[in-house]
Amino acid sequence: ALIVDATTVALDPAAVSTDVEQCQALLREGSPAALATAVERHAGMLLEGFDAKSPSFEQWVEDHRRALRRDLLQALERAAAHCAASGDLPGAIVVLERLVALEPTNERAHRDLMEGLARLGRHTDALRQYRECRDALRRDLDVAPEPEQCLGAEQPELDGPRLLVERVAARRDHPWVMAGPVELDGRGDD
């Protein structure tokens, strides 16, 4: 199962299959089911806890970790878009929650998650998500959310949930508009 020459020791890809290889094949396939499987199988960082005591190996591992993380984040974005486009709003929310957990400064993912929560009538959760986004941006990047993100969220006493839901309903370019009309009964989930 090993291929060895004067400078290299490698696994024979014809004899061995790795979880990374399987995940990358699923990501290349790109179907909603393949993306969901790839995301489910992601189990953490590549070679987490392994110390080869070699700076060049550590650099190689770090480069591959970054690439795999980027691929996973893109897969999560695509999976959320697939869920939203097919009308599976609860599924999109689950995927977006994982995305913001892995990348807390992804403002667009926070915004999509807030809008999905608002669409489901979970207004308090949408406002809580805004605050998590604001805090992560402040803590990690020392910036404030974009003004569009703030609409109604900074002033809940001015009916922040209603403004957030109205903003969601007004966005015709977002796939979640297909989720149907938003009820504005004033009660929310508070």
Side-chain angles (χ1 to χ4, degrees):
L2 290 179
I3 300 172
V4 181
D5 65 25
T7 60
T8 307
V9 175
L11 293 174
D12 181 358
V16 178
S17 176
T18 66
D19 57 344
V20 171
E21 177 185 274
Q22 292 169 359
C23 188
Q24 288 176 325
L26 290 165
L27 294 176
R28 279 191 303 274
E29 181 186 323
S31 72
L35 291 173
T37 302
V39 167
E40 280 177 27
R41 288 187 181 175
H42 181 267
M45 293 189 343
L46 175 67
L47 298 174
E48 189 170 17
F50 180 75
D51 183 9
K53 300 190 183 342
S54 164
S56 59
F57 181 77
E58 286 300 320
Q59 183 61 51
W60 178 87
V61 168
E62 231 5 84
D63 292 345
H64 279 77
R65 284 178 180 160
R66 274 194 298 278
L68 291 169
R69 180 180 170 81
R70 182 193 64 238
D71 292 347
L72 176 64
L73 294 172
Q74 289 172 350
L76 287 166
E77 289 172 352
R78 289 169 39 207
H82 282 300
C83 288
S86 67
D88 179 11
L89 191 51
I93 287 172
V94 168
V95 173
L96 288 165
E97 287 173 337
R98 178 134 187 230
L99 178 57
V100 299
L102 287 171
E103 191 177 36
T105 58
N106 184 332
E107 193 170 359
R108 187 182 74 213
H110 278 283
R111 183 172 46 247
D112 289 349
L113 180 53
M114 287 170 35
E115 291 176 356
L117 292 166
R119 278 232 167 253
L120 289 179
R122 294 172 53 187
H123 307 135
T124 301
D125 290 337
L127 287 170
R128 187 176 302 114
Q129 191 61 46
Y130 166 77
R131 290 182 182 113
E132 286 179 23
C133 174
R134 179 196 61 202
D135 294 347
L137 291 171
R138 187 176 296 148
R139 177 188 64 244
D140 298 343
L141 303 175
D142 197 27
V143 298
E146 292 187 21
E148 176 187 88
Q149 185 101 330
C150 301
L151 184 60
E154 287 292 352
Q155 301 167 335
E157 68 278 2
L158 299 177
D159 204 10
R162 179 177 295 275
L163 291 174
L164 180 62
V165 172
E166 288 172 355
R167 185 189 71 188
V168 171
R171 283 196 61 194
R172 299 288 173 226
D173 64 328
H174 199 284
W176 290 341
V177 227
M178 299 184 317
V182 177
E183 295 298 320
L184 296 173
D185 63 1
R187 291 179 298 183
D189 62 352
D190 302 356

